[in-house]
Amino acid sequence: MRKARFVLGLLWPYRGRVALALLAMLLATAAGLAPPLLAKEAIDAGIVPGNVSALDWAVAGFVAAALLYAGATFVQTYMVGWVGTRALQDLRERIFSHLQGMSIGFFTRRSPGVLISRLTNDVEALNQLVSTGAVTLVSSLLTLFGAVVILLALDLRLALVTFVTFPILIAASTLFRVVSHGAYRATRERIAAVTAYLQETLSGVRIVRSFGQEPRHASAMTELNEANREANMRTVYLNATYFPGVELLSAVGTAAILLYGGSQAIDGAIQVGVLVAFVGYLQIFFEPIQQLSNLYTTWLQGVAAMDKIFELLETPTDMPDADGAVDPGELRGEIEMRGVWFGYGGEDGPWALEDVSLRVPPGQTLALVGATGAGKSTFAKLVARFYDPQQGQVLVDGHDLRELRQRALRRQLGIVPQEGFLFSGSVRENIAFGRPEATLEEIEAAAAAVGASEFIAALPEGIETEVGERGVQLSAGQRQLVAFARALIAEPRILILDEATSNVDVRTERIIERGLERLLAGRTAIVIAHRLSTIRRAGKIAVLEGGRIVEAGTHDELIAADGAYARLYGAWEESSVA
């Protein structure tokens, strides 16, 4: 019932067209049931007594039934197809919107390939159920009901002979349902695993190629593909066993009718036309049973897909906006952490930040330094509210981030990560990503401010050049310059630079540093860098070790203190000289 309510919920917005499709289905079913009765009338009322007029009326009825069936089937097919595609379009958008509302932590726990499989493979399986399956279910039940009524009306004894095969059919169908449910669920899991591995391998193809690991990845793909084949072969075996059994029961039923009904016709107990009609309806009777049996495999695939989709849609957003969350308006940019404890595994796992307290005044640049794994990026992620701390508070302008609307915070937040991610599209579209309404002049001004104009002008189509998926048509330094321009044009009040210059060459870094003055002016900024040359001018520098802040102050203050920062800076100077 839960699954039925789900499907009805998808179809409800299009109930008018669904009603029209059902009406067309009723007409098509009635027209499909007419020929055996018309054949009976043609034989018993026309051919046997030699009544040409009755034969003509029977033939006219055949033609009318065929025309009605053709017209009704067209309307039914078109309406079902239209409703099915729209309903599944709505479902894809619903799943995508749900994913858009999930936290960053959700995506670190779920494989992107599995999520893609939910939107593609599972939705397509559900599409087969909603469109083809729904039509088959309703039309087959209507046909089966109509055939039973007509069989009983034609001859009760012949009908009872036909129904002898029912117990065997019901027992076989029940066994098939029980055994095949798990088999079809396994096929959804195996294809999701194949999709996930394929997505991961294609995303990391350069790493695979650079380490020469193609044979190992091909072997792993073969194993996953073999597991998928074995899961599907189990369903093939079940189908190959069950459906011929239904055909055999149909043949046994027809043979019984011909034997019993034929002897009755020879004895004159029934008319020949009745026997002919009975054989015709017997085929009509078993055909929907076979269709419903075939539908059961579609149903199992659709149900397995629905289970996976339910699991995804029912996963609650772990960081929703709180009731009464407010829009703070334009931020001044004050950032404060009060006794913050955070671990990616929750309170049971290791702490990434321990008892961190720090205040950053509006417009100040805070530089975070420390060894890899010290907690620098975690600090920035909490400010962006990608995660919430297990203990303590993260505040912006005196507001706990959990009390603010996330969209209101993010629209005033700019992030330039270590590796600038670009979307498929032009350079112009990528720069304007955070502010799509920006004019071309504003986009070009942002590019010029961060020093990106020179390389953009050299591109084949200038600012309209397509960058390719993930920006593969540009170098790492060029992608990073576009990322800086993207952050600048969004006019954020808080800016986070997470190792933003670590993957670029010295020349590009100098270009970026010249643009940083323009980028940081009047904004609160958090700068994370291993190259200490980029943070000497920061208003405050915080040194993290093991998730704790061990030092904080200006560059000169920390050098004079001769502590952790002084050692890091000394090591950097030595490596620069070397």
Side-chain angles (χ1 to χ4, degrees):
M1 289 303 298
R2 177 167 168 264
K3 293 178 175 67
R5 285 196 299 270
F6 179 76
V7 173
L8 288 174
L10 291 175
L11 301 179
W12 185 251
Y14 312 107
R15 52 192 177 276
R17 291 175 183 265
V18 171
L20 183 57
L22 287 173
L23 176 61
M25 220 175 290
L26 282 169
L27 294 175
T29 301
L33 288 171
L37 272 180
L38 293 171
K40 170 187 174 299
E41 290 302 312
I43 293 171
D44 292 341
I47 297 173
V48 173
N51 187 338
V52 177
S53 175
L55 183 62
D56 289 342
W57 278 108
V59 171
F62 264 106
V63 174
L67 290 174
L68 177 61
Y69 182 82
T73 302
F74 170 80
V75 174
Q76 163 200 311
T77 303
Y78 178 80
M79 286 300 165
V80 169
W82 190 95
V83 170
T85 53
R86 289 301 296 267
L88 272 298
Q89 177 187 354
D90 293 345
L91 178 59
R92 283 193 182 94
E93 292 177 1
R94 180 177 168 186
I95 295 172
F96 187 76
S97 296
H98 184 70
L99 289 174
Q100 293 289 297
M102 302 305 287
S103 70
I104 297 298
F106 171 84
F107 295 100
T108 61
R109 297 187 298 269
R110 300 292 186 100
S111 166
V114 171
L115 297 178
I116 291 171
S117 182
R118 297 291 169 267
L119 275 164
T120 54
N121 299 328
D122 290 335
V123 171
E124 181 55 35
L126 194 55
N127 181 32
Q128 294 297 317
L129 177 63
V130 171
S131 55
T132 306
V135 172
T136 303
L137 177 65
V138 176
S139 63
S140 295
L141 288 176
L142 288 173
T143 301
L144 191 60
F145 178 77
V148 168
V149 170
I150 294 174
L151 286 173
L152 291 171
L154 284 173
D155 192 285
L156 179 60
R157 288 172 298 175
L158 282 178
L160 293 176
V161 171
T162 301
F163 299 156
V164 168
T165 59
F166 261 34
I168 301 174
L169 184 61
I170 292 172
S173 299
T174 302
L175 179 63
F176 176 74
R177 180 181 65 83
V178 172
V179 175
S180 57
H181 179 74
Y184 278 97
R185 184 177 180 86
T187 62
R188 308 314 309 166
E189 294 172 350
R190 295 286 77 79
I191 192 62
V194 170
T195 304
Y197 190 78
L198 183 61
Q199 185 273 337
E200 183 179 50
T201 300
L202 293 179
S203 297
V205 66
R206 285 179 291 180
I207 303 299
V208 174
R209 189 69 53 81
S210 63
F211 282 91
Q213 292 299 307
E214 295 93 338
R216 183 165 68 88
H217 272 251
S219 176
M221 185 63 180
T222 298
E223 291 180 9
L224 289 171
N225 223 11
E226 177 63 19
N228 181 51
R229 186 194 69 80
E230 289 176 357
N232 279 279
M233 282 306 300
R234 179 168 172 77
T235 65
V236 169
Y237 173 77
L238 291 170
N239 291 337
T241 303
Y242 176 71
F243 293 116
V246 176
E247 291 279 0
L248 180 60
L249 285 175
S250 173
V252 169
T254 303
I257 290 301
L258 287 174
L259 181 62
Y260 178 74
S263 63
Q264 292 287 96
I266 290 172
D267 294 339
I270 61 172
Q271 294 177 305
V272 175
V274 171
L275 180 61
V276 171
F278 224 92
V279 172
Y281 280 116
L282 196 59
Q283 296 303 312
I284 292 176
F285 173 78
F286 275 101
E287 183 178 347
I289 293 177
Q290 292 170 338
Q291 289 177 346
L292 289 171
S293 301
N294 283 315
L295 170 64
Y296 190 65
T297 63
T298 303
W299 166 256
L300 287 173
Q301 290 174 333
V303 166
M306 267 195 282
D307 287 339
K308 298 298 183 182
I309 292 172
F310 280 162
E311 179 187 353
L312 179 58
L313 290 177
E314 291 175 352
T315 301
T317 302
D318 49 0
M319 287 178 54
D321 283 337
D323 293 336
V326 299
D327 183 340
E330 184 174 340
L331 296 173
R332 294 182 297 111
E334 179 188 30
I335 300 172
E336 185 177 2
M337 285 197 178
R338 294 178 183 171
V340 167
W341 292 73
F342 173 76
Y344 289 99
E347 296 191 7
D348 297 331
W351 293 108
L353 291 179
E354 300 182 20
D355 196 22
V356 172
S357 295
L358 187 69
R359 179 179 176 274
V360 183
Q364 186 180 75
T365 296
L366 168 68
L368 300 176
V369 300
T372 300
K376 305 183 299 296
S377 294
T378 301
F379 185 105
K381 290 173 183 175
L382 292 183
V383 172
R385 212 198 162 196
F386 290 159
Y387 300 91
D388 283 333
Q390 280 83 27
Q391 299 177 33
Q393 292 178 295
V394 182
L395 302 100
V396 171
D397 289 357
H399 298 282
D400 190 315
L401 291 186
R402 287 168 286 207
E403 298 173 354
L404 300 181
R405 292 179 185 169
Q406 295 183 63
R407 189 177 295 276
L409 172 68
R410 303 267 167 70
R411 69 166 178 255
Q412 301 186 69
L413 192 70
I415 300 177
V416 182
Q418 183 174 359
E419 184 176 341
F421 184 96
L422 302 186
F423 294 90
S424 298
S426 66
V427 174
R428 176 182 58 79
E429 290 169 335
N430 273 280
I431 293 176
F433 180 79
R435 193 171 146 225
E437 72 279 5
T439 65
L440 180 60
E441 291 73 19
E442 290 173 323
I443 295 170
E444 290 175 338
V450 299
S453 296
E454 181 181 345
F455 94 81
I456 291 175
L459 294 174
E461 297 179 39
I463 203 165
E464 297 297 337
T465 300
E466 295 289 317
V467 302
E469 186 176 356
R470 293 175 175 261
V472 295
Q473 301 299 326
L474 304 181
S475 69
Q478 290 171 338
R479 289 196 297 270
Q480 207 65 358
L481 287 171
V482 172
F484 271 99
R486 177 172 61 195
L488 175 61
I489 201 169
E491 299 180 346
R493 298 302 306 148
I494 298 173
L495 182 66
I496 297 174
L497 307 181
D498 188 356
E499 301 282 7
T501 61
S502 62
N503 285 340
V504 300
D505 55 67
V506 175
R507 179 176 178 274
T508 304
E509 183 180 14
R510 287 173 180 167
I511 294 173
I512 290 174
E513 284 185 343
R514 287 197 296 269
L516 276 178
E517 288 188 19
R518 168 73 176 85
L519 190 60
L520 299 179
R523 295 184 173 89
T524 304
I526 298 174
V527 179
I528 302 170
H530 283 299
R531 298 179 185 179
L532 302 184
S533 61
T534 61
I535 60 175
R536 283 179 296 190
R537 295 186 296 273
K540 180 182 290 185
I541 300 170
V543 182
L544 285 91
E545 288 183 1
R548 291 180 176 272
I549 295 178
V550 295
E551 280 187 320
T554 64
H555 172 76
D556 293 336
E557 290 170 349
L558 294 177
I559 290 294
D562 196 25
Y565 179 79
R567 291 192 297 273
L568 285 170
Y569 193 77
W572 174 78
E573 283 189 319
E574 289 178 9
S575 65
S576 298
V577 173

